[in-house]
């Protein structure tokens, strides 16, 4: 790891102004992506600004048709939240399927959504649940937030503060894991919203990161049954390929996990 | 008899075993044998666990010395590149940097290559030679190469600085002028004409090419056979992934002129011997300490360049130097395992009797040859647990632009077991035999023991069919149909796999034990093996406690410091309990003899009038007794401490054996494989501590299953870059993807050593590869899948299903 200076601001204002004052700064949340990257000497921020003590970034609140989760909330907290479980159990299941116990107790939803790893779990829920990303300066709809592999519309220095999920009528999450890393090789978050719209968000597979699979949405819109997506495959050319799963296998898995998510509405299926 | 693998063996059949080296029983030795089994065979909990789980272990990186500095390596980004020059100026000018050393500096200082001595040389090892019989060129292994880098990650320079971070920062400022050269990483390609040469000395990369067995006889048997079944397998490259990355701390003391090295390994004595040659110093001027070791599995048996580099650098800068590998460096440059291509052919008669076998084995040793143990060990066991009258074997080894390979848990045996057990299944499938019946028909039977196989290995003892029967019972083989139907009702394919195995344990022949009755009422045993989790502190204490009849809590095992332990073969090849147990028995007998002498003097009686019972020397016919500790105290002044040292050499190998069965559930839609049950029977000879042996079996199974299911050191052939450089891409066995094992120990006593021990550390691994893959193929049989490469990842299984479906569709249309 290269030399770095650690800061722990207590307010949003302090964090943002610190970021603008120093060179080569990075926000630090759970550090479960950033620190390993620094250890591997692939990232070298000169200043780490820990956002976890900023009050606005914590807490889970439930509104009539919304669940709002602070960006510094750990995966374990979401997984164990009774409030969320009562309303969107698949979101708890998703959080509970991330990494291992240690990762879940330190890694945060904000870090995951800011990082936008193409194999991460949360981005699929953000997209499928039509979330709004609240930052220190604005609110960004999920449909405009993700901007390709490890890229988002966050500006330099912009802090993700809260994530506001729209309450669906019902949702389901199914994930097929990479046998080595246990990140998603392909995972589908399927939600039927209260206005009747169906969203299918796929993570782990797209060569530009998380995406809405519109063909599957149309098929399910016509008939909200598992076999409505039978035989449906995304275009291989839009998918990633690596030693664990070339694009044709990923395309096949996307079809399987989408169907299984619909089979498991109200729950989570992790393989 | 006992002939190594030569062109003309006497052929398979019953052999005469060499006598155990200490068959003549002195009265003390009788006592030792009679008393032996009080603790032995009991599942005593491990003495070392309390220390290890409360953070009191002494692992290499736990040691620090005043004024110590830190080393970082500059590693080659290329698989094959000539080093035209190295610019160290900017690194030397960086904060905290004390030295930057290169291969050229090393040659200027006259350092020698590491004398790995890779060719196995006991008379029971196969004799591997260059083509035509010459001495093979194995590629000098300097601590830093001055000519070329031969694999990605090879260290080409070392930077020493005040802190580890400064060393790592400066290492990025060492500029190496490389001339990239064509490279080859694949085993088979490297042996093909026209492949880039890794060493100019061996233009075709094949530096070992030896043939064994009865060629004419084999050819005749094949010509006369009713059936011939052939197959080719690649047992891929894996790495040991020890929890503790390798680490070393070197210190040169100006005043005494002595070097000290703290470095966990498979045996400090070997490290001392080889590193003193590298440095060109007397062995007595190097002390090596290896205390707790966080995993070895073979990867730590051989000397690592960094161990020599910290010693050399320490002398140059006059301060201690520490190097600890990162996990990435461990993935890149820990000695790796396996990587064998084997072509096998089996000749059978109409009834399914095996008539002859041919094997053509090609081992990938990487950029230089560190060890030929895998090729050699496997060569002696190509016929597996079966009586095959004649066989021939061609054994070759090839250089490639990859990290070096070394013995890895059960060196060479899982590879050949995989080949024979898959070949036998293939024969059963293609010729319409029941796969178990075909095995039974051809097993080596107990009345053939000791048995010489077709390539000259002498199996000491074993009841192979009994192992099979018991394993089948444990696994409830006959209840399979019910389980199969239940799985099918959930859309899953259940498959079952079976494998027999026999393996050999030879290991370094010499061992020494020193036993002393200490003043504080304890017994100290000095021994030259090196545990890395095997529990020697417990099982060895059990052995000595039994023999000299003292409570096991009083016995302390001292290991790992070459100033105390002068001889010792280390721990590998399942040698430790057998070698250490035997020499400890002999030393115990010596100790009792010396005790009787002193007791006789004490009682003013005849030596022959002294008996030894329950830890007390007794004057026969009286009630005068003295316990061993008091005797030690009373005679210390006159006779010195009650202490003995005993050396022993044992050459005769033993052949642990057994059977393993696993069941897998395959999801045909995703290709996901779930192991649902796993049962084994392992004949380890005499079992000293079943708790420890079971633990070894469980770990061994996970390690074998790991290779079958997930592990692979994948390399991109076109760029030569390793693709699995972290846990993100290198899949591991975990507690949540292993079933609960059903393991049983069979004890068929070995006649080759006085305690009857075989070995128990590797049997879990040896049949696992074959068992798992056979199970997966069984699950996929309705899809027409007959072959699949390891690891059987979801993608591999899905691909196999689709390919064979595609082929069937193509045939149908
Ligand atoms: C062993 C292991 C296994 C894992 N397995 C999974 C898995 O299965 N699925 C999965 O989805 N993830 C997995 N992860 C990743 C884990 O979920 C991370 O915790 C997460 O991706 C990042 O969250 P963090 O809080 O650790 O963020 P950090 O590592 O602290 O930050 C990540 C990035 O986001 C930026 N950032 C952080 N917070 C904010 C903020 N509030 N505003 C703006 N920018 C911010 C940082 O600057 C950094 O660039 C795994 C990680 C590990 C180490």
């Amino acid at each position: 790891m290269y030399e770095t200076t650690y800061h722990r601001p207590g307010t949003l204002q302090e964090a943002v102004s610190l970021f603008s004052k120093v060179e080569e700064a990075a926000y630090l949340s759970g550090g479960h992506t950033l620190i390993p990257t620094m250890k591997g000497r692939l990232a070298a921020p000169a200043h780490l600004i820990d956002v976890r003590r900023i009050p606005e970034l914590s807490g889970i609140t439930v509104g009539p048709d919304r669940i709002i989760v602070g960006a510094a909330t750990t995966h374990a907290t979401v997984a164990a939240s009774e409030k969320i479980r009562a309303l969107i159990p698949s979101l708890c299941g998703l959080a509970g399927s991330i990494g291992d116990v240690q990762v879940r107790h330190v890694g945060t939803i904000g870090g995951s959504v800011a990082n936008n790893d193409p194999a991460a779990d949360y981005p699929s829920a953000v997209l499928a649940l039509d979330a709004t990303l609240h930052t220190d300066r604005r609110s960004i709809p999920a449909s405009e937030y993700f901007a390709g592999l490890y890229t988002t519309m966050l500006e330099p220095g912009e802090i993700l503060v809260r994530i506001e999920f729209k309450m669906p009528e019902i949702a389901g999450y199914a994930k097929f894991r990479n046998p080595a890393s246990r990140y998603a090789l392909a995972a589908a978050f399927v939600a039927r919203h209260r206005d009747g719209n169906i969203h299918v968000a796929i993570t782990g597979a797209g060569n530009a990161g998380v995406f809405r699979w519109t063909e599957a949405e149309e098929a399910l819109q016509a008939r909200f049954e598992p076999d409505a997506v039978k035989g449906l495959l995304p275009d291989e050319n839009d998918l990633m390929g690596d030693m664990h799963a070339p694009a044709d296998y990923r395309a096949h898995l996307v079809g399987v996990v989408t169907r299984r998510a619909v089979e498991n509405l109200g729950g989570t299926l992790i393989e | 008899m006992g002939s190594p693998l030569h062109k003309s063996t006497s052929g398979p059949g019953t052999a005469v075993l060499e006598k155990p080296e200490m068959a003549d029983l002195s009265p003390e030795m009788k006592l030792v044998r009679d008393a032996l089994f009080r603790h032995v065979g009991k599942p005593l909990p491990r003495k070392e666990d309390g220390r290890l789980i409360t953070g009191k272990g002494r692992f290499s990186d736990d040691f620090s010395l005043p004024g110590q500095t830190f080393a970082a390596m500059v590693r080659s980004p290329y698989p094959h590149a000539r080093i035209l020059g190295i610019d160290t100026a900017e690194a030397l000018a960086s904060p905290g940097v004390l030295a930057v050393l290169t291969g050229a500096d090393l040659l200027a200082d006259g350092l020698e290559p590491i004398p790995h001595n890779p060719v196995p040389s006991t008379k029971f090892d196969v004799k591997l030679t260059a083509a035509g019989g010459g001495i093979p060129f194995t590629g000098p292994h300097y601590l830093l190469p001055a000519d070329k880098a031969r694999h990605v990650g090879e260290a080409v320079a070392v930077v020493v600085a005040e802190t580890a971070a400064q060393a790592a920062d400066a290492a990025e400022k060492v500029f190496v002028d490389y001339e990239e050269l064509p490279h080859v990483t694949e085993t088979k390609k490297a042996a093909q004409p026209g492949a880039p040469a890794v060493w100019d000395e061996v233009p075709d990369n094949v530096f070992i090419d030896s043939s064994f067995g009865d060629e004419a006889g084999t050819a005749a048997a094949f010509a006369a056979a009713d059936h011939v079944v052939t197959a080719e397998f690649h047992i891929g490259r894996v790495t040991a992934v020890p929890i503790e990355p390798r680490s070393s701390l070197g210190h040169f003391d100006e005043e005494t002129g002595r070097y000290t090295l703290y470095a966990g390994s498979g045996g400090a004595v070997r490290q001392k011997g080889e590193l003193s040659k590298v440095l060109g110093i007397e062995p007595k001027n190097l002390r090596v300490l290896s205390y707790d070791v966080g995993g070895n599995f073979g990867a730590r048996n051989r000397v690592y360049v960094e161990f020599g580099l910290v010693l050399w650098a320490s002398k140059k800068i006059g301060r201690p130097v520490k190097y600890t590998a990162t996990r990435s460096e461990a993935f890149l440059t820990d000695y790796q395992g396996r990587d064998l291509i084997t072509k096998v052919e089996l000749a059978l008669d109409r009834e399914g009797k095996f008539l002859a076998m041919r094997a053509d084995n090609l081992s990938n040793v990487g950029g230089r040859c560190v060890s030929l143990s895998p090729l050699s060990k496997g060569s002696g066991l190509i016929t597996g647990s079966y009586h095959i009258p004649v066989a021939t074997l061609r054994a070759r080894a090839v250089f490639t632009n990859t990290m070096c390979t070394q013995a890895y848990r059960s060196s060479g045996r899982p590879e050949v077991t995989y080949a024979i057990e898959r070949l036998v299944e293939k024969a059963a499938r293609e010729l319409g035999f029941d796969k178990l019946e075909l095995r039974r028909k051809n097993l080596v039977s107990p009345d053939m023991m000791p048995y010489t196989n077709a390539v000259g290995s002498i199996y000491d003892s074993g009841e192979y069919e009994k192992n099979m029967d018991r394993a089948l019972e444990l696994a409830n083989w006959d209840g399979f149909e019910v389980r199969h139907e239940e799985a099918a009702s959930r859309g899953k394919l259940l498959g079952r796999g079976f494998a027999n195995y026999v393996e050999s344990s030879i290991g370094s022949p010499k061992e020494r034990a020193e036993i002393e009755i200490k003043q504080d009422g304890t017994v100290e045993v000095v021994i030259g093996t090196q545990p890395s989790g095997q529990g020697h502190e417990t099982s060895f204490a059990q052995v000595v406690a039994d023999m000299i009849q003292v409570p096991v809590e009083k016995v302390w095992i001292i290991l790992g410091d070459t100033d105390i332990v002068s001889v010792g073969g280390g721990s590998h090849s399942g040698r430790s309990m057998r070698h250490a147990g035997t020499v400890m028995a002999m030393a115990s007998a010596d100790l009792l003899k010396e005790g009787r002498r002193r007791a006789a003097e004490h009682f003013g009686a005849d030596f022959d009038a002294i008996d030894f019972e329950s830890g007390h020397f007794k004057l026969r016919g009286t009630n005068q007794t003295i316990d061993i500790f008091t005797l030690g105290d009373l005679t210390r002044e006159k006779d010195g401490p009650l202490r003995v040292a005993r050396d022993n050499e044992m050459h005769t190998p033993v052949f642990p054996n057994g059977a393993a069965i696993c069941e897998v559930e395959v999801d045909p839609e995703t290709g996901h494989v779930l192991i649902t049950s796993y049962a084994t029977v392992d004949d380890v000879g005499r079992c000293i501590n079943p708790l420890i042996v079971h633990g070894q079996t469980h770990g061994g199974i996970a390690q074998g299953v790991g290779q079958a299911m997930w592990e692979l050191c994948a390399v991109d052939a076109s760029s030569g870059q390793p693709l699995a450089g972290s846990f993100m891409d290198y899949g591991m066995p975990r507690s949540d993807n292993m079933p609960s094992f059903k393991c049983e120990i069979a004890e068929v006593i070995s006649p080759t050593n006085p305690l009857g021990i075989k070995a128990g550390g590797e049997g879990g691994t040896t049949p696992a590869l074959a068992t798992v893959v056979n199970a997966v193929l069984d699950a996929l049989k309705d899809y027409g899948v007959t072959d699949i490469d390891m690891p059987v990842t979801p993608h591999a299984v899905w691909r196999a299903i689709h390919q064979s479906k595609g082929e069937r569709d193509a045939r149908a249309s």
Side-chain angles (χ1 to χ4, degrees):
Chain A
M1 196 187 288
Y2 298 93
E3 202 170 306
T4 187
T5 308
Y6 174 80
H7 307 269
R8 196 162 69 196
T11 69
L12 210 50
Q13 187 45 43
E14 215 184 308
V16 175
S17 76
L18 190 59
F19 193 100
S20 65
K21 262 189 244 137
V22 297
E23 296 275 300
E24 293 181 59
Y27 291 123
L28 175 74
S29 192
H32 265 42
T33 292
L34 188 52
I35 301 291
T37 316
M38 290 172 69
K39 280 184 165 176
R41 303 176 82 81
L42 301 170
H47 296 272
L48 284 180
I49 303 170
D50 192 335
V51 298
R52 286 173 298 180
R53 296 293 170 97
I54 302 171
E56 290 90 331
L57 270 67
S58 23
I60 297 171
T61 44
V62 174
D65 59 351
R66 297 276 190 269
I67 289 182
I68 301 164
V69 183
T73 309
T74 64
H75 309 327
T77 304
V78 172
S81 164
E82 288 305 329
K83 283 192 240 173
I84 300 179
R85 185 174 305 281
L87 300 165
I88 322 180
S90 307
L91 193 57
C92 298
L94 175 150
S97 80
I98 295 174
D100 51 41
V101 179
Q102 289 92 329
V103 172
R104 291 196 289 275
H105 277 85
V106 185
T108 66
I109 185 169
S112 179
V113 174
N115 189 52
N116 192 21
D117 186 315
D121 294 279
Y122 268 128
S124 66
V126 167
L127 207 49
L129 295 176
D130 218 358
T132 304
L133 295 305
H134 298 284
T135 75
D136 61 302
R137 58 199 73 167
R138 58 181 169 152
S139 298
I140 312 172
S143 57
E144 292 168 19
Y145 173 80
F146 297 105
L149 304 179
Y150 301 100
T151 316
T152 69
M153 295 309 283
L154 291 176
E155 295 163 357
E158 187 170 7
I159 299 185
L160 189 54
V161 178
R162 302 183 293 282
I163 297 154
E164 180 178 328
F165 293 101
K166 221 185 248 172
M167 207 99 77
E169 195 173 83
I170 193 149
Y173 185 60
K175 163 159 83 163
F176 190 77
R177 293 181 300 182
N178 178 319
S181 73
R182 300 216 168 170
Y183 277 71
L185 270 186
F189 202 104
V190 175
R192 180 153 79 178
H193 285 274
R194 293 177 172 184
D195 60 7
N197 276 326
I198 289 165
H199 288 183
V200 176
I202 304 294
T203 191
N207 60 13
V210 66
F211 66 93
R212 291 257 305 267
W213 186 18
T214 46
E215 289 87 344
E217 290 180 352
E218 281 158 22
L220 289 166
Q221 205 73 59
R223 194 162 56 90
F224 199 46
E225 299 283 339
D227 64 358
V229 292
K230 210 173 157 195
L232 215 53
L233 291 181
D235 187 344
E236 278 177 34
N237 295 315
D238 298 333
L239 302 188
M240 294 190 285
D242 57 29
M243 66 186 253
H244 304 287
D248 63 339
Y249 178 51
R250 271 206 167 82
H252 168 79
L253 287 178
V254 167
V256 173
V257 291
T258 303
R259 199 199 70 227
R260 289 184 181 179
V262 180
E263 280 168 358
N264 285 278
L265 287 172
T268 319
L269 186 81
I270 310 299
E271 261 187 316
Chain B
M1 275 331 314
S3 75
L5 308 194
H6 282 311
K7 286 238 168 350
S8 58
T9 64
S10 51
T14 299
V16 181
L17 260 189
E18 285 183 16
K19 272 205 161 172
E21 279 81 345
M22 49 172 263
D24 53 328
L25 290 188
S26 66
E28 290 81 14
M29 200 61 214
K30 268 211 197 76
L31 259 174
V32 160
R33 281 192 72 142
D34 294 346
L36 185 61
F37 302 115
R38 185 175 337 157
H39 296 291
V40 165
K42 290 196 187 129
L44 288 192
R46 300 173 10 131
K47 284 176 91 161
E48 46 273 74
D49 286 346
R51 177 169 62 76
L52 293 174
I53 62 175
T54 54
K56 298 201 180 79
R58 291 173 299 172
F59 295 91
S60 306
D61 191 58
D62 292 334
F63 291 94
S64 287
L65 292 171
Q68 81 187 9
T69 63
F70 296 85
M73 303 298 143
V74 179
R75 298 190 179 278
S76 170
Y78 302 112
H80 198 190
R82 196 173 307 286
I83 301 166
L84 301 176
I86 300 184
D87 180 357
T88 61
E90 202 178 318
L92 276 169
S94 299
V97 171
L98 301 162
V100 181
L101 302 170
T102 68
D105 299 325
L106 183 141
L107 293 181
D109 280 7
L111 264 62
E112 294 290 323
I114 303 170
H116 286 300
N117 234 332
V119 190
S121 59
T122 81
K123 66 175 177 166
F124 297 96
D125 289 306
V126 302
K127 294 285 168 286
L128 297 171
T129 66
I135 294 172
F137 172 86
T138 53
H141 194 184
Y142 286 98
L143 303 182
L144 299 169
D147 57 344
K148 304 198 280 187
R150 288 180 175 79
H151 63 88
V152 171
E154 178 158 26
V156 297
V158 55
V159 177
V160 184
E162 295 285 350
T163 70
Q166 286 172 336
D169 286 350
E172 288 178 355
K173 296 178 187 150
V174 173
F175 299 105
V176 184
D177 186 7
Y178 290 109
E179 176 197 343
E180 276 188 77
L181 299 170
H183 64 268
V184 60
T185 56
E186 291 160 285
T187 313
K188 213 163 159 178
K189 287 232 173 88
Q192 279 161 4
V198 178
W199 290 91
D200 297 339
E201 290 84 346
V202 187
D204 64 352
N205 294 320
V206 180
F207 68 99
I208 295 283
D209 191 344
S210 303
S211 294
F212 308 101
D214 176 354
E215 261 163 51
T218 305
F222 267 90
D226 295 307
H227 307 290
V228 172
V229 182
T230 67
E232 182 176 318
F233 304 111
H234 185 196
I235 295 88
R237 179 79 68 100
V238 291
T239 186
V241 199
I243 282 187
E244 180 203 13
R246 66 183 195 268
S247 176
S248 55
L249 171 59
H251 174 46
F252 176 72
D253 183 357
E254 198 74 56
E255 239 157 73
T256 58
R258 268 191 109 201
Y259 291 85
T260 304
L261 178 72
Y262 297 82
S265 69
V269 174
R270 166 184 225 129
Q271 303 282 329
K272 169 177 157 163
E274 295 187 3
L275 282 167
S276 56
K277 287 201 180 106
V278 169
L279 298 170
I281 57 170
E282 292 281 323
K284 69 172 171 34
N285 287 330
L286 173 60
R287 176 183 183 192
V288 180
L289 298 103
S290 170
Y291 290 127
D292 290 313
V293 177
N296 175 5
F297 316 114
R300 287 190 215 264
N301 287 347
R302 301 291 175 148
V303 171
Y304 279 108
V305 292
E306 293 90 352
F307 294 6
L309 288 174
V310 294
L311 292 168
W312 177 47
S314 168
K315 175 152 190 208
K316 290 201 93 84
I317 66 161
R319 287 168 63 183
V321 180
K322 183 186 264 196
Y323 165 79
T324 299
T326 62
R327 180 58 62 193
S328 310
E329 286 179 296
F331 271 112
L332 215 52
T333 56
D334 274 354
Y335 290 130
Q336 301 180 339
R338 316 265 190 252
D339 208 337
L340 182 83
I341 288 186
T342 175
K343 248 190 269 174
V344 280
E345 294 173 80
L346 184 65
L348 303 89
D349 74 8
R350 194 160 292 118
E351 275 76 50
K353 266 277 181 208
F354 300 164
L355 303 174
M357 181 181 179
R358 280 196 196 104
D360 184 347
N361 291 358
L362 180 64
S363 166
N364 182 344
V365 302
R368 34 180 61 78
C369 180
V370 166
S371 168
L372 287 165
S373 156
L375 180 63
S376 152
K377 283 287 186 105
S379 294
L381 291 165
I382 53 165
T383 55
S385 315
Y386 307 102
H387 173 56
I388 303 181
V390 279
T392 62
L393 161 71
R394 184 179 185 197
R396 288 177 298 158
V398 70
F399 290 119
T400 60
N401 294 111
T402 61
M403 182 57 201
C404 315
T405 54
Q406 212 297 84
Y408 170 67
R409 199 163 193 170
S410 194
S411 176
R413 285 92 88 190
E415 293 92 312
V416 294
T417 304
Y418 185 75
I420 186 80
E421 289 297 323
R422 284 209 48 201
L423 186 64
V424 168
E425 293 260 311
K426 189 172 187 210
R429 190 177 55 243
E430 287 181 0
L431 308 176
F433 293 106
D434 176 88
K435 54 194 173 191
L436 296 183
E437 284 316 309
L438 186 63
R439 287 181 167 98
R440 285 184 197 281
K441 196 186 286 266
N442 291 286
L443 280 178
V444 174
S445 61
D447 60 4
M448 295 165 95
M449 295 289 177
Y451 168 82
T452 306
N453 77 6
V455 282
S457 295
I458 305 177
Y459 301 176
D460 58 329
S461 65
E463 298 171 355
Y464 298 173
E465 190 164 13
K466 212 163 142 189
N467 294 341
M468 255 184 96
D469 289 336
R470 188 63 195 130
L472 293 168
E473 255 176 81
L474 277 179
N476 187 10
W477 183 268
D478 294 335
F480 178 75
E481 282 315 319
V482 177
R483 298 190 294 276
H484 185 264
E485 263 173 46
E486 189 280 323
S489 74
R490 291 180 285 112
K492 301 287 159 58
L493 313 168
L494 197 70
R496 59 181 169 181
F498 179 92
N500 281 312
Y501 78 90
V502 57
E503 58 168 347
S504 65
S505 168
I506 310 176
S508 172
K510 287 188 193 156
E511 196 56 69
R512 177 192 180 92
E514 295 168 18
I515 306 182
E516 180 171 341
I517 305 298
K518 305 288 280 188
Q519 226 157 348
D520 63 1
T522 61
V523 180
E524 195 176 272
V525 182
V526 176
I527 192 88
T529 59
Q530 175 64 56
S532 45
Q534 297 92 329
H536 291 179
E537 289 165 55
T538 306
S539 46
F540 289 6
Q542 273 180 275
V543 173
V544 173
D546 263 348
M547 305 206 212
I548 62 173
Q549 304 179 14
V550 298
V552 68
E553 305 75 45
K554 289 194 184 272
V555 181
W556 294 96
I557 306 294
I558 310 292
L559 330 121
D561 177 348
T562 57
D563 272 6
I564 301 173
V565 182
S566 54
V567 178
S571 292
H572 57 266
S573 295
R575 72 177 289 280
S576 294
M577 180 47 87
R578 183 165 45 91
H579 281 275
T582 303
V583 73
M584 287 187 300
M586 298 166 97
S588 300
D590 290 354
L591 187 80
L592 295 185
K593 188 167 181 185
E594 172 62 11
R596 283 176 75 197
R597 190 191 66 71
R598 292 186 187 193
E601 220 173 274
H602 173 73
F603 293 130
D606 234 24
F607 181 85
D608 287 333
I610 307 296
D611 289 332
F612 185 69
E613 245 183 74
S614 315
H616 289 69
F617 294 95
K618 282 192 170 159
L619 181 56
R620 197 173 312 124
T622 75
N623 48 17
Q624 294 195 60
T625 71
I626 184 166
D627 76 86
I628 195 163
F629 295 104
T630 313
L631 181 70
D633 282 345
L634 289 180
T635 58
R636 184 164 285 112
E637 200 158 309
K638 175 167 171 289
D639 295 329
L642 182 47
R643 176 179 183 283
V644 293
R646 179 72 186 240
D647 291 289
N648 186 42
E649 259 187 74
M650 287 197 307
H651 294 272
T652 314
V654 290
F655 292 79
N657 56 84
I661 295 173
C662 102
E663 265 177 37
V664 298
E665 199 174 285
V666 175
D667 178 349
E669 208 173 28
T670 60
H672 184 260
V673 179
L674 176 76
I675 300 183
T676 52
S677 80
Y678 202 103
T680 66
V681 173
D682 297 288
D683 170 9
V684 300
R686 170 100 56 212
C687 174
I688 307 295
N689 183 330
L691 189 71
I692 288 178
V693 170
H694 278 310
Q696 285 292 310
T697 305
H698 295 173
I701 292 171
Q703 213 151 7
V705 169
Q707 170 154 30
M709 302 265 298
W710 306 285
E711 297 183 51
L712 181 67
C713 293
V715 173
D716 175 46
S718 63
S719 67
Q721 296 297 323
L723 296 173
S726 78
F727 291 116
M728 292 295 283
D729 293 302
Y730 192 88
M732 291 289 288
R734 309 178 189 220
S735 56
D736 73 353
N737 58 22
M738 289 287 143
S740 184
F741 308 122
K742 284 175 237 155
C743 297
E744 222 170 78
I745 297 165
E747 289 187 272
V748 181
I749 304 306
S750 174
T752 66
N753 63 87
L755 302 187
I757 293 168
K758 287 173 184 167
E762 301 181 317
T765 308
T766 309
L769 285 56
T771 310
V772 170
V773 174
N774 281 340
V776 170
L777 290 176
D778 185 53
L780 300 181
K781 64 174 184 286
D782 291 346
Y783 288 82
V785 177
T786 56
D787 191 17
I788 191 165
D789 277 339
M790 295 183 288
V792 288
T793 60
H795 170 238
V797 172
W798 181 81
R799 184 72 59 196
I801 290 175
H802 278 257
Q803 246 154 23
S804 85
K805 190 168 167 292
E807 279 161 24
R808 273 181 305 163
D809 291 351
R811 267 200 306 276
S813 67

